[in-house]
Amino acid sequence: MKQNTCAVISGIGSYVPSKRVSNDDLAKLVDTSDEWIYSHTGIKNRHIADEKEATSDLAVKAAERALEKAGCPVSEVDMILVATATPDYLGFPSTACIVQDRIGAENAAAMDIVAACTGFIYGLETARVFIETGTYRNVLVIGAEVLSKITDWKDRNTCVLFGDGAGAALVSAQAAETSMKESLKRGILSSYLASYGKDAEVLLRPAGGTRVPFIPGTTPPEDLCLRMNGRKVYTFAVSVLGKTIETLLAKTGLSLQDIKYIVPHQANVRIIEACAKRLDIPLDKFFLNIKEFANTSSASIPIALTDMEQRGLLHPGDLILTVGFGGGLTYGGNLLYW
Ligand code: ACO
């Protein structure tokens, strides 16, 4: 239970495909420009999977790096959660089961989480609950996406925004007395998970499910791709990012000064700037790497955390707040001691 066990991120890793596509490259495909994309989103580049790469291929590489970092034998992984909006297959098998086989986690349960860009945040909280109840000791949480394969490359409103990638965190049980002895707080402290299904249609793939099944020769190919009302998502995002930050602080009795970094879902720099202004938070409290990777949906937060660790920005005991929003619509955040 909570007073005895903390759920600590014991290792983190990421993987992005080597193929790098710049804004200028996209300007050869659709009527856009580097100037428009960068000024409206903060994006300069994105990494794109090759034809043969599926989401599980990226997830496996990120997972293996996280396990190596944690020094945890794969046989000790009890559960694999893959947050993805772009699974290898529709419905089943889950991408998590494919990862389970590929990394050889023979003792692990496996399932996917469908919460779009908020998926990694939902995954961390799910891992925390399984660990603090004593059910599992090691839960591998992966956010992985190959969004390029559900992108309409003729639609300039969406194709400039997204990238492919994966990030993984091993969440492990640690005795609370250990962290107290070290007089260092560790682990996932609290989370806030929320949804607003009323606006589900502002971000969806119209066809291919049971509502509008795929009919060969009839279904327009672009209906199998991601479609978005950018303005509505923007307004929603600015409001729920602020609400999530305020809710997490109120829930834990902490203040903004206690937080070392806010790690937001990397969807658009302008959304983060608007949220920072509304809450009067200095922009440099937010970690941003969208410039290089674009929006990788559920992978963006673990890719950002790995990037921060590699740059030496994260130290044991630092208080980190993750916050995100996405299709569903979903939103939420985690407060964690690194
Ligand atoms: N290049 C050039 N012009 C463009 C492009 C482009 N790539 N895309 C749109 N435009 C044009 C539009 O056609 C429009 O032209 P018009 O005025 O002649 O009609 C003009 O630019 C303005 O369009 P808006 O949609 O009003 O542009 P806006 O400033 O709102 O920026 C954007 C669009 C970047 C999509 C913004 O609305 C946004 O960031 N929304 C949130 C998107 C998001 O976060 N999505 C992901 C969330 S969930 C997930 O991650 C899966």
Side-chain angles (χ1 to χ4, degrees):
M1 292 293 157
K2 190 166 177 59
Q3 54 274 39
N4 301 325
T5 310
C6 325
V8 173
I9 294 185
S10 54
I12 191 149
S14 69
Y15 171 80
V16 292
S18 54
K19 184 177 171 191
R20 187 173 188 242
V21 175
S22 69
N23 291 344
D24 288 333
D25 294 329
L26 289 184
K28 292 175 197 148
L29 286 182
V30 288
D31 181 14
T32 191
S33 64
D34 175 51
E35 196 283 324
W36 192 96
I37 301 170
Y38 188 61
S39 63
H40 283 73
T41 67
I43 297 166
K44 280 272 180 192
N45 297 294
R46 69 283 295 141
H47 292 247
I48 301 292
D50 71 33
E51 260 172 48
K52 288 195 184 132
E53 269 178 320
T55 296
S56 64
D57 299 319
L58 277 55
V60 163
K61 288 184 173 128
E64 286 174 342
R65 289 174 183 178
L67 286 173
E68 193 188 335
K69 195 87 193 164
C72 176
V74 72
S75 58
E76 289 182 17
V77 175
D78 302 305
M79 176 174 245
I80 298 170
L81 300 172
V82 175
T84 186
T86 51
D88 287 21
Y89 300 99
L90 269 185
F92 52 87
S94 68
T95 304
C97 277
I98 297 167
V99 173
Q100 179 268 331
D101 175 53
R102 292 265 305 279
I103 66 173
E106 54 195 28
N107 300 314
M111 65 176 177
D112 286 359
I113 292 180
V114 183
C117 312
T118 324
F120 185 78
I121 288 167
Y122 270 62
L124 280 189
E125 176 62 0
T126 309
R128 181 187 74 80
V129 174
F130 272 111
I131 286 171
E132 288 188 359
T133 55
T135 310
Y136 292 133
R137 295 197 60 77
N138 291 297
V139 180
L140 188 55
V141 184
I142 305 169
E145 306 284 2
V146 176
L147 289 155
S148 59
K149 290 189 184 173
I150 63 156
T151 295
D152 178 355
W153 289 101
K154 292 196 232 39
D155 176 17
R156 71 175 183 175
N157 290 299
T158 53
C159 78
V160 301
L161 302 175
F162 300 101
D164 301 334
L170 185 71
V171 185
S172 303
Q174 189 184 81
E177 307 86 71
T178 313
S179 80
M180 272 156 64
K181 227 182 279 163
E182 291 167 359
S183 65
L184 204 61
K185 291 184 177 150
R186 299 289 313 273
I188 303 165
L189 181 64
S190 185
S191 300
Y192 171 58
L193 305 182
S195 60
Y196 189 66
K198 204 178 191 48
D199 270 351
E201 81 290 349
V202 307
L203 195 49
L204 88 172
R205 288 176 75 187
T210 54
R211 180 64 62 200
V212 184
F214 171 73
I215 303 172
T218 303
T219 305
E222 61 273 19
D223 282 4
L224 297 170
C225 294
L226 176 159
R227 194 173 293 168
M228 179 181 73
N229 180 330
R231 280 269 138 184
K232 279 203 167 165
V233 175
Y234 187 100
T235 310
F236 171 77
V238 174
S239 107
V240 300
L241 288 185
K243 179 181 169 193
T244 301
I245 293 168
E246 288 175 335
T247 303
L248 277 171
L249 293 177
K251 235 176 125 178
T252 51
L254 291 161
S255 75
L256 264 175
Q257 284 67 40
D258 298 314
I259 309 291
K260 181 86 180 286
Y261 285 108
I262 298 173
V263 184
H265 166 47
Q266 314 276 318
N268 184 329
V269 168
R270 282 173 41 194
I271 292 174
I272 309 305
E273 285 169 350
C275 167
K277 195 167 165 204
R278 188 179 281 195
L279 267 58
D280 198 20
I281 304 173
L283 196 58
D284 60 10
K285 219 183 219 340
F286 291 85
F287 178 80
L288 293 168
N289 65 0
I290 186 174
K291 191 173 173 185
E292 177 60 25
F293 302 112
N295 177 349
T296 57
S297 191
S298 67
S300 87
I301 290 174
I303 289 175
L305 287 170
T306 309
D307 195 353
M308 291 170 79
E309 195 182 53
Q310 286 167 353
R311 293 186 202 196
L313 298 177
L314 297 174
H315 303 101
D318 283 349
L319 195 53
I320 307 296
L321 193 155
T322 68
V323 61
F325 62 92
L329 299 169
T330 56
Y331 59 103
N334 318 106
L335 247 182
L336 44 108
Y337 286 105
W338 195 251

